[in-house]
Amino acid sequence: MTEKDAHHRRIRSFVRREGRFTPGQQRAFDTLWPRYGIEADGSLIDFDAVFGRHAPHIIEIGFGNGESLAAMAASHPENDYLGIEVHRPGVGRLLQQLEAEHIANVRVMSEDAVEILERQIPDASLHGLLLFFPDPWHKKRHHKRRILQPAFVQLVRRKLEPGGFFHMATDWEDYAEQMLEVMSAAEGFTNTSPGGDFVPCPDYRPKTKFERRGERLGHGVWDLVFKRT
């Protein structure tokens, strides 16, 4: 790689931490991926063909162990969900839950979400995009690695249908302020908050056990919901 290529290479917003599969997660990954997984092969996804119906399509980027995604999908069977997560043990955990709870309206990809959005998600095909508790990269010198940057926001805009929503949540106040600043300046979006800032946690976003524990300790959580105009 030349120095010029290295300079222009996109900064990744994540570090791939494989961790260790439990035997159950490994079994789930090996046996359930053909049912729930979508390969990152660069081809455009036909959501109606994948799910066998026409329904609103919602993507969650970075679903962790899938606890919230599974709960949302179970509570809102009228929607179809695509979860994107690079941490494969977390993918295995979600696959286990989808099978155990007979949740049929979720599919999963395990690759860089930005590349998937760029290469495989048709423009104007999404009803919503969820970005819950992304890596805050809390050291100031690492803020450039945060996924919520102007270029990413415009990529999201292209993929949302008119009127589609972009919901972000973070428990880092300075990241919340950056999110608000970036989104408020972004072309093609309007803030759903009457005060032009943050919104109460919408009913459809389940609170994880870690979030509930943080709330008991007095930690804040900030939600932002913007709509594509």
Side-chain angles (χ1 to χ4, degrees), residues 173-207:
E173 186 172 10
D174 77 302
Y175 200 178
E177 294 292 346
Q178 179 194 333
M179 287 177 169
L180 181 60
E181 180 180 356
V182 171
M183 292 303 303
S184 296
E187 181 182 356
F189 282 97
T190 183
N191 195 342
T192 65
S193 166
D197 50 8
F198 306 102
V199 298
C201 177
D203 292 340
Y204 62 78
R205 180 174 77 76
K207 293 186 178 182

Side-chain angles (χ1 to χ4, degrees), residues 27-67:
R27 180 200 64 80
F29 210 99
D30 292 342
T31 62
L32 299 178
W33 181 262
R35 186 193 312 178
Y36 297 106
I38 298 177
E39 296 298 333
D41 59 7
S43 62
L44 285 177
I45 296 170
D46 182 339
F47 285 104
D48 290 358
V50 167
F51 289 98
R53 66 173 184 170
H54 181 68
H57 312 132
I58 298 174
I59 285 181
E60 181 177 1
I61 292 177
F63 59 74
N65 66 9
E67 176 187 355

Side-chain angles (χ1 to χ4, degrees), residues 204-224:
Y204 62 78
R205 180 174 77 76
K207 293 186 178 182
T208 68
K209 61 182 180 182
F210 301 104
E211 183 179 354
R212 291 191 295 270
R213 183 177 65 183
E215 287 179 337
R216 289 195 298 270
L217 295 173
H219 300 169
V221 173
W222 293 265
D223 285 81
L224 304 91

